[in-house]
Amino acid sequence: MSSVMGVVEETGFQAALGLMRRFGAARASDLGGAIAVSIGTRLPVSKVADANLAHAFPALDAAARRQIIRDVWENIGRTMGELPHLAKLERTSSGPGWEIAGEDILRDQSARGGPAIFFSAHIGNWEMLPRILAHAGIPMASFYRALSNVRVNEAVNRLRRDAAGLDLPMFPKGAQGASGALAHLAGGGYLGILADQKMNDGIPVEFFGRPAMTAPALAALALRFGCPVIPGRVRRTGSARLRLEVEPPLPLPQTGDRQADIATLMRAVNRTFERWITDEPGSWLWLHRRWPKEAAN
């Protein structure tokens, strides 16, 4: 919840966490969603989401955009409400819990071993990825964006480790984290990357028809190690009811022009995100400025 929870003060976070722990996972999900809708839709950042939607889906009218923004806040709230319960969610075919589509891809990858890169976006409950993959025999390290409040940051990372059930490496975004991730892959590890947010010093890659500054690390690492790049999203199918959908690895371009190959691979990543977001626009985090201001006009 990097960009959203970074603005939450420690006392408010701890109070919200304590409240959500008083309820079961499904009820906490419902409550978190309702609270986020009631507050978030009134915040100025919702105007950013509206501008983003108008750019990405120009055929949508204002009412349709408002409904999607409401869905965005509901999903954020549900994700926050579910966070203290992730460690208790188990695989099940009904009720609160999780399931997997595309498990054969995970079995094949687990049998081959690493290195491999799994990528996703801030869609559905992205926080559930490490737990489900760990249960599938894929202990996945991941990048994270450090929150401004150190104690909140520590508390969230502790919840993430509890959810995975393993003390998995977590690399902060930046030079130090990149060095750690490089060593992790070199040792045959699995790495997860949420690759959908803006990076000011990234590379311009088309996203919903216009260039968007995009972090190239995923492609650079994949091409360096020649490792699989596997897409997966955690879709929300109910209250604390989640499904990981794993897709076949993306083809790795090998033209010999490294920069061109990085751009080609990141375009394939963004096309994957476009497809997922178009499927369920309200499940994605539209609240950050993904395009330059002039591109949104």
Side-chain angles (χ1 to χ4, degrees):
M1 351 214 109
S2 49
S3 59
V4 177
M5 290 181 58
V7 298
V8 179
E9 295 294 336
E10 180 184 354
T11 52
F13 172 75
Q14 294 296 346
L17 197 63
L19 176 64
M20 295 307 168
R21 280 177 167 151
R22 293 174 56 188
F23 302 98
R27 178 63 180 134
S29 176
D30 293 343
L31 181 60
I35 292 173
V37 167
S38 66
I39 297 173
T41 52
R42 304 171 188 269
L43 297 179
V45 71
S46 288
K47 294 180 180 179
V48 175
D50 187 69
N52 286 339
L53 282 163
H55 155 64
F57 300 114
L60 292 178
D61 61 21
R65 296 197 303 271
R66 282 196 299 272
Q67 180 59 52
I68 291 172
I69 293 168
R70 184 189 183 283
D71 293 342
V72 168
W73 282 109
E74 181 178 351
N75 184 64
I76 292 170
R78 286 185 179 277
T79 300
M80 294 176 69
E82 291 159 1
L83 186 58
H85 298 280
L86 296 186
K88 298 178 182 178
L89 292 181
E90 301 292 345
R91 187 170 188 174
T92 178
S93 58
S94 62
W98 53 269
E99 56 189 336
I100 304 176
E103 191 171 8
D104 56 320
I105 298 170
L106 297 181
R107 282 196 299 265
D108 290 346
Q109 183 58 57
S110 181
R112 284 193 302 269
I117 295 173
F118 293 82
F119 76 90
S120 193
H122 292 81
I123 286 178
N125 190 333
W126 58 89
E127 297 285 1
M128 195 63 179
L129 278 163
R131 176 168 179 78
I132 300 178
L133 288 174
H135 275 260
I138 306 286
M140 184 189 74
S142 58
F143 281 106
Y144 72 96
R145 177 172 292 175
L147 304 179
S148 56
N149 186 302
V150 175
R151 292 187 180 180
V152 173
N153 188 70
E154 291 173 350
V156 171
N157 284 342
R158 188 161 50 247
L159 288 170
R160 288 167 172 158
R161 288 191 174 95
D162 290 346
L166 298 169
D167 189 17
L168 297 172
M170 298 179 66
F171 305 115
K173 290 189 175 180
Q176 181 180 356
S179 176
L182 186 67
H184 183 72
L185 286 171
Y190 300 110
L191 179 66
I193 301 178
L194 296 175
D196 58 324
Q197 289 192 318
K198 180 181 178 182
M199 183 178 181
N200 289 331
D201 56 350
I203 60 173
V205 180
E206 184 179 337
F207 186 52
F208 281 105
R210 293 187 183 180
M213 297 307 289
T214 301
L218 184 160
L221 289 169
L223 293 170
R224 174 166 181 162
F225 292 101
C227 67
V229 175
I230 302 172
R233 57 173 163 170
V234 178
R235 300 181 75 171
R236 186 180 305 285
T237 60
S239 302
R241 178 87 195 130
L242 307 164
R243 180 173 67 241
L244 170 61
E245 297 182 351
V246 185
E247 300 179 1
L250 298 181
L252 292 184
Q254 296 177 331
T255 67
D257 183 333
R258 184 173 182 275
Q259 294 306 315
D261 287 347
I262 287 175
T264 297
L265 184 52
M266 292 314 302
R267 178 67 187 106
V269 169
N270 277 1
R271 279 197 299 265
T272 301
F273 293 156
E274 289 169 353
R275 174 167 50 83
W276 291 349
I277 293 165
T278 302
D279 282 348
E280 295 178 334
S283 70
W284 189 54
L285 195 65
W286 288 95
L287 305 177
H288 60 285
R289 296 189 183 277
R290 191 64 186 88
W291 296 272
K293 286 185 179 180
E294 61 271 15
N297 293 332

